[in-house]
Amino acid sequence: MKEREEENVVSLYPEEQKMTEKEWQKSIPAQVFLNYFFAINYHIQHFNDNGLAHLTFFKEAASALGEEDLEAVKRLLLNSWSTEYALRATAELGDEDYMRNALHWTFPQAYYTVFAGLQAFLRTRGVNTNNEALVLREAGRLVVKHAYPRAIGFYASGHYEDFNVNRLPLAHYKPGLQIAGKELEAQAQIGQFLRTTRRQKAKAVRQQVQANPATAIRSSRTGDILQKFAPQHWQQLTWRVGYTTIFDLMARLRISSSHREIERFVQAEIDFKLFHESLLEIVSYLNGIHESYVAQAMGMQQYEAFVQELPKHLQGSFVAARLQERIRPLFTEDDFRLGQAA
């Protein structure tokens, strides 16, 4: 497999003829990135199993939250919602040029609103950490354990350059550069995104391990720190990589922390409005999943009271809308008192 699949995709767009070859080549990485997130959203919206109602993991009662955990969960949700509020504010302006230049902050906002919601969910399960690697690893285990709907239950596993994409039966097809218009295209693009992300993750782990003399893998012959890895050396790192899931894909949005990297996107000729809409819908979906788990742990009565007391900028917002449209239907009236899913 080529080292960087994202930059070696052959264009299938007839519209490319409207641009010079140089302009098109500059836009390809950004177009592929847009395709990935559009494909994730397409897969979620068109998959017939994207809810929690019939999920065994969700039906199991969560442990009651102590006062300290309860307050921590509330703070994390407020962080998540305030960040999502800022992300949505960009969409309300509706100007494509503005959205293009807003990538500097909308990319990380999309990731960190989901990350804070994920932390809140994990806190209800007794996992208390701000360490990003540990949070993503725990999220990976929960994905594999079917804690999430099948629509986002996909993941990549396996050793470097011997990756397996799980729960995406069409992921082995080679994706094109077109926006996904059917499930085969969506799964092919998500599959590639999982593989390239897992490759990056494995390389980052290798760099971290080899930079530390105490953990570095050494030559059995000379005792020197290895500079080149054979398959057996990569296999020693696989456990550190964990599973690669949708949350690792969202973490790719942190590229905007590198000004030079984000400039490549800002200068590209892609549909920035569509990109922003795709991110917003993914964010709303993932945050709604985590909010449902938190509502289960807090008890619906207490969760509703919390939502009603939110700061002014969040009153009557998307938070209350998700509560009414997506969370409330998951619970019976008894659950409002007991905090346990039906």
Side-chain angles (χ1 to χ4, degrees):
M1 190 177 292
K2 292 183 180 178
E3 187 68 12
R4 299 193 64 180
E5 289 176 84
E6 288 115 320
E7 297 186 9
N8 290 281
V9 180
V10 177
S11 168
L12 299 180
Y13 263 159
E15 289 87 349
E16 74 170 286
Q17 302 302 324
K18 299 175 184 178
M19 289 187 257
T20 67
E21 183 66 22
K22 185 176 180 181
E23 287 174 330
W24 180 250
Q25 289 298 325
K26 283 173 61 178
S27 295
I28 285 178
Q31 182 65 52
V32 172
F33 214 54
L34 162 58
N35 288 356
Y36 286 159
F37 286 99
F38 182 89
I40 292 170
N41 189 46
Y42 181 97
H43 181 64
I44 291 170
Q45 302 302 329
H46 291 81
F47 203 75
N48 61 7
D49 188 0
N50 61 8
L52 289 169
H54 304 295
L55 211 60
T56 301
F57 192 98
F58 181 71
K59 293 178 181 181
E60 297 170 353
S63 302
L65 291 176
E67 190 61 33
E68 184 179 347
D69 286 333
L70 179 61
E71 292 308 310
V73 165
K74 287 181 177 180
R75 286 194 300 272
L76 288 164
L77 282 183
L78 283 173
N79 288 342
S80 174
W81 291 335
S82 292
T83 308
E84 184 177 348
Y85 175 87
L87 182 66
R88 288 172 176 269
T90 300
E92 290 174 4
L93 293 173
D95 184 278
E96 177 132 351
D97 285 337
Y98 180 78
M99 288 185 187
R100 175 194 298 265
N101 291 288
L103 292 183
H104 291 277
W105 61 84
T106 55
F107 271 12
Q109 282 172 346
Y111 170 59
Y112 285 111
T113 177
V114 170
F115 185 78
L118 172 58
Q119 282 185 290
F121 168 40
L122 293 180
R123 190 71 184 247
T124 69
R125 298 278 157 173
V127 180
N128 176 20
T129 179
N130 291 318
N131 184 295
E132 183 181 63
L134 293 179
V135 169
L136 293 177
R137 187 178 298 177
E138 187 62 30
R141 285 201 287 262
L142 288 170
V143 167
V144 174
K145 289 180 180 177
H146 301 280
Y148 291 92
R150 286 178 59 220
I152 54 169
F154 51 79
Y155 65 96
S157 58
H159 308 307
Y160 184 79
E161 295 296 33
D162 188 24
F163 301 144
N164 300 310
V165 175
N166 307 275
R167 302 176 187 166
L168 276 179
L170 304 177
H172 62 281
Y173 285 96
K174 183 178 180 180
L177 193 56
Q178 74 275 19
I179 289 288
K182 54 185 178 180
E183 185 63 13
L184 185 149
E185 294 163 354
Q187 289 196 29
Q189 290 175 5
I190 296 170
Q192 178 172 282
F193 199 13
L194 285 167
R195 287 187 291 269
T196 56
T197 299
R198 188 166 181 80
R199 185 179 298 112
Q200 282 191 10
K201 199 174 175 183
K203 287 182 175 180
V205 168
R206 169 186 152 162
Q207 184 176 9
Q208 182 181 28
V209 168
Q210 295 303 94
N212 183 348
T215 60
I217 299 173
R218 298 173 180 270
S219 167
S220 58
R221 184 174 57 85
T222 67
D224 294 335
I225 294 176
L226 284 178
Q227 300 301 315
K228 293 184 178 181
F229 269 34
Q232 67 268 25
H233 302 126
W234 284 109
Q235 290 171 16
Q236 295 179 52
L237 299 182
T238 302
W239 69 273
R240 294 177 182 267
V241 178
Y243 300 105
T244 304
T245 71
I246 188 171
F247 300 107
D248 297 289
L249 304 186
M250 295 297 292
R252 292 285 297 274
L253 293 166
R254 290 169 306 177
I255 64 164
S256 54
S257 62
S258 165
H259 182 76
R260 197 173 81 177
E261 186 76 13
I262 197 66
E263 281 304 315
R264 186 173 67 165
F265 285 79
V266 171
Q267 295 169 13
E269 295 300 325
I270 62 172
D271 189 337
F272 289 95
K273 190 174 181 64
L274 180 63
F275 205 151
H276 197 77
E277 289 171 354
S278 299
L279 288 179
L280 263 181
E281 290 189 14
I282 295 169
V283 162
S284 181
Y285 175 77
L286 292 175
N287 284 353
I289 295 293
H290 293 141
E291 288 156 21
S292 299
Y293 272 114
V294 170
Q296 177 197 53
M298 288 176 62
M300 277 299 296
Q301 193 173 48
Q302 188 168 198
Y303 184 81
E304 284 206 324
F306 174 51
V307 171
Q308 290 169 3
E309 296 167 0
L310 289 176
K312 186 176 180 180
H313 69 285
L314 293 172
Q315 285 285 337
S317 68
F318 57 90
V319 179
R322 278 203 296 261
L323 170 59
Q324 294 302 320
E325 297 166 12
R326 295 174 52 186
I327 301 174
R328 237 181 175 276
L330 295 170
F331 300 91
T332 67
E333 290 303 316
D334 286 342
D335 298 326
F336 280 65
R337 295 187 297 274
L338 302 175
Q340 180 178 339

